[in-house]
Amino acid sequence: MSTRDAIAALVRDGHSDAAIALRLGYDRSTVGKTRRALAKETGRRVGDYQPERMPTSPDQQAANRARLLEALKAA
């Protein structure tokens, strides 16, 4: 996987430049330049990206888990 592909995948997942740089070991400016280049190619701003499903917060995950366990006990 190339640098550009790795950064693009993390950008699509909604990670910040700083988080991507830390995870991949690149400089933050490299990530920013790549993000801008990707935006030019697609004609869309990365900020306009909306994932199909927003990730749930830890509190929501705990509530979902509790509801599931309660339903399983009732069954």
Side-chain angles (χ1 to χ4, degrees):
M1 179 179 269
S2 71
T3 300
R4 182 182 211 116
D5 293 337
I7 292 173
L10 292 171
V11 165
R12 282 191 299 274
D13 289 342
H15 294 279
S16 68
D17 289 355
I20 294 170
L22 184 65
R23 178 177 278 188
L24 299 178
Y26 298 125
D27 191 72
R28 190 171 167 192
S29 65
T30 302
V31 176
K33 289 175 189 176
T34 304
R35 183 187 291 264
R36 286 189 295 280
L38 291 168
K40 284 182 183 178
E41 286 177 8
T42 61
R44 291 179 29 190
R45 292 184 51 202
V46 176
D48 296 337
Y49 174 74
Q50 294 291 322
E52 292 178 19
R53 180 173 176 263
M54 294 299 290
T56 55
S57 69
D59 292 335
Q60 184 63 47
Q61 289 174 1
N64 291 345
R65 190 175 302 112
R67 215 172 353 181
L68 176 62
L69 290 173
E70 198 173 296
L72 289 172
K73 287 177 186 175

